[in-house]
């Protein structure tokens, strides 16, 4: 079939398999251009391995460090008459390129929050890898069923303590408009923490440790975003921020557990990028469009693969990790430079429907958004007939 993008709100309901493959190949080539990561990981488990920062982590582990990778994700396969999800095609492409270079890669498709998938993962590690020396936690999901209680929690994107009225971009109509979000209830806050906080990360590390599949010196990291004052009301001071603050609490116990193996656990702070998750946050498309404008002018703009490549080389496996005073690893400092944030803030106050394309890089935002779904990738013929069926090699 010939597949074209069909965008509805913050989602594109079609996906281009050839475009996704080309996008993965571009990321692989970028990582390989830096050479090998000295003393990098050997056996890596990536939870949330199919898109965004999780996919980038898998690519850097495999093609930057030559690591064996086991990926866990929850994606939908394409059929003869309907494309699958981007993460499915990304993973199929990753497997194809890893196999071509003789790199071990296996994947598990299922609910990573469940005990069943945890056990299936442990069994695969025991059978093929023995132990893992790096665990990446990069899950992003709207809901989670707690395997201990059986309760399903749904996350929300809301401010805490006050209603919020803030400008954003209506991405369908491509206009600036006010978004009104009511303050979250205590139940909504708790549910969001249950979905997006650190409980499941801790459950994973406990399960892996109890099963004896964490290597001596094993490391783990979970990804977070802090941002600055423009995004704080909806992000860091909102329900998502409450969940991310839970990571900061949980990492202390996780670090203590790994210390017994001579290992370490850190929360890693990454910059704002276009992902399926960030596109759903009302203020983020406008903030990202202004940030792109500012950072591209300085030559400091980075996407997922640039951020994660730098994180691995500078901090996770660097001689002098970039740490803040709370012990988080930082890869977001270029975004948070005062002059960058001042420029973004000034543009925020000036932008309107008449100057949106002059003052922001909304075109760049839209381009990055469509690339998530395999569209607008260089070198791809979008008039060609493509097969939406793409099996994943070594899917357990």
């Amino acid at each position: 079939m010939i597949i074209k993008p069909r965008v509805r709100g913050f989602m594109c309901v079609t996906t281009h398999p050839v475009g996704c493959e080309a996008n993965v190949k571009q990321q692989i080539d970028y990582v390989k251009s830096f050479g090998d990561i000295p003393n990098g990981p050997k056996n890596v488990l990536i939870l949330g391995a199919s898109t965004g920062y999780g996919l980038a982590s898998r690519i850097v582990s495999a093609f930057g460090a030559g690591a064996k990778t086991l990926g866990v994700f929850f994606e939908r396969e394409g059929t003869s008459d309907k494309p699958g999800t981007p993460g499915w095609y990304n993973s199929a492409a990753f497997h194809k390129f890893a196999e071509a270079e003789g790199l071990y890669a296996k994947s598990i498709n299922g609910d990573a929050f469940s005990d069943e998938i945890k056990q299936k993962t442990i069994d695969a590690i025991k059978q093929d890898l023995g132990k893992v020396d790096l665990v990446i936690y990069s899950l992003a999901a709207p809901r989670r069923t707690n395997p201990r209680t059986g309760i399903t929690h749904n996350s929300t994107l809301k401010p805490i303590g006050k209603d919020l009225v803030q400008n954003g971009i209506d991405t369908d109509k491509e206009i600036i408009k006010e978004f009104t979000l009511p303050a979250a209830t205590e139940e909504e806050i708790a549910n969001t923490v249950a979905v997006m906080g650190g409980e499941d990360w801790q459950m994973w590390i406990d399960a892996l440790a109890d099963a004896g599949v964490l290597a001596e010196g094993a490391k783990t990291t979970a990804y977070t975003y802090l941002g600055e004052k423009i995004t704080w009301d909806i992000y860091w001071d909102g329900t998502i921020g409450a969940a991310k603050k839970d990571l900061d609490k949980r990492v202390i116990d996780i670090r203590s557990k790994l210390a017994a193996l001579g290992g370490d656990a850190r929360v890693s702070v990454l910059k704002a990028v276009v992902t399926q998750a960030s596109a759903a946050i009302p203020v983020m498309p406008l903030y990202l469009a202004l940030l792109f404008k500012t950072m591209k002018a300085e030559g400091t703009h980075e996407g997922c693969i640039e951020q994660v490549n730098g994180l691995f080389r500078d901090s996770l496996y660097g001689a002098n990790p970039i740490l803040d005073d709370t012990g988080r690893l930082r890869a977001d400092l270029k975004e948070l430079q005062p002059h960058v944030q001042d420029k973004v803030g000034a543009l925020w106050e000036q932008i309107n429907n008449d100057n949106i394309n002059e003052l922001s890089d909304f075109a760049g935002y839209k381009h990055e958004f469509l690339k998530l779904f395999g569209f607008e990738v260089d070198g791809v013929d979008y008039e060609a007939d493509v097969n939406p069926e793409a099996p994943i090699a070594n899917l357990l």
Side-chain angles (χ1 to χ4, degrees), residues 110-139:
D111 180 7
F113 297 132
S114 70
D115 286 341
E116 175 190 359
I117 294 300
K118 288 181 175 68
Q119 187 58 53
K120 191 171 185 177
T121 302
I122 289 167
D123 291 343
I125 294 170
K126 286 182 175 180
Q127 178 176 321
D128 289 2
L129 305 176
K131 298 185 178 185
V132 293
D133 55 3
L134 176 62
V135 179
I136 298 290
Y137 191 88
S138 186
L139 293 179

Side-chain angles (χ1 to χ4, degrees), residues 168-245:
I169 297 179
D170 182 324
T171 52
D172 284 338
K173 298 179 181 178
E174 300 190 3
I175 59 172
I176 306 290
K177 76 173 197 179
E178 282 189 344
F179 288 85
T180 301
L181 295 171
T185 65
E186 289 300 318
E187 182 180 11
E188 288 173 326
I189 298 169
N191 279 330
T192 305
V193 172
V195 177
M196 303 175 69
E199 182 180 37
D200 184 62
W201 182 26
Q202 191 163 10
M203 284 181 171
W204 267 102
I205 299 303
D206 286 346
L208 295 166
D210 292 347
V213 294
L214 292 176
E216 287 290 324
K219 299 181 181 185
T220 185
T221 191
Y223 295 143
T224 195
Y225 175 69
L226 297 186
E228 254 290 352
K229 57 185 178 182
I230 292 175
T231 60
W232 278 349
D233 282 343
I234 188 58
Y235 201 98
W236 190 244
D237 291 336
T239 52
I240 307 175
K244 295 302 184 182
K245 290 168 187 173

Side-chain angles (χ1 to χ4, degrees), residues 340-393:
V340 170
Q341 288 299 312
D342 288 347
K343 179 64 174 177
V344 172
L347 292 171
W348 186 278
E349 296 299 322
Q350 300 169 45
I351 198 164
N352 56 49
N353 290 329
D354 294 328
N355 60 23
I356 183 172
N357 291 312
E358 176 190 350
L359 297 189
S360 80
D361 185 25
F362 185 50
Y365 169 85
K366 290 190 294 181
H367 173 68
E368 291 297 322
F369 175 80
L370 287 173
K371 279 184 69 177
L372 298 176
F373 301 88
F375 298 104
E376 293 194 4
V377 181
D378 291 343
V380 177
D381 180 2
Y382 290 100
E383 301 303 322
D385 191 33
V386 296
N387 183 3
E389 296 178 292
I392 295 178

Side-chain angles (χ1 to χ4, degrees), residues 306-327:
E306 292 87 0
Q307 280 277 286
V308 172
N309 186 59
L311 175 72
F312 270 61
R313 294 175 189 274
D314 298 338
S315 291
L316 277 175
Y317 295 95
N320 299 293
I322 303 168
L323 292 162
D324 63 19
D325 55 7
T326 66

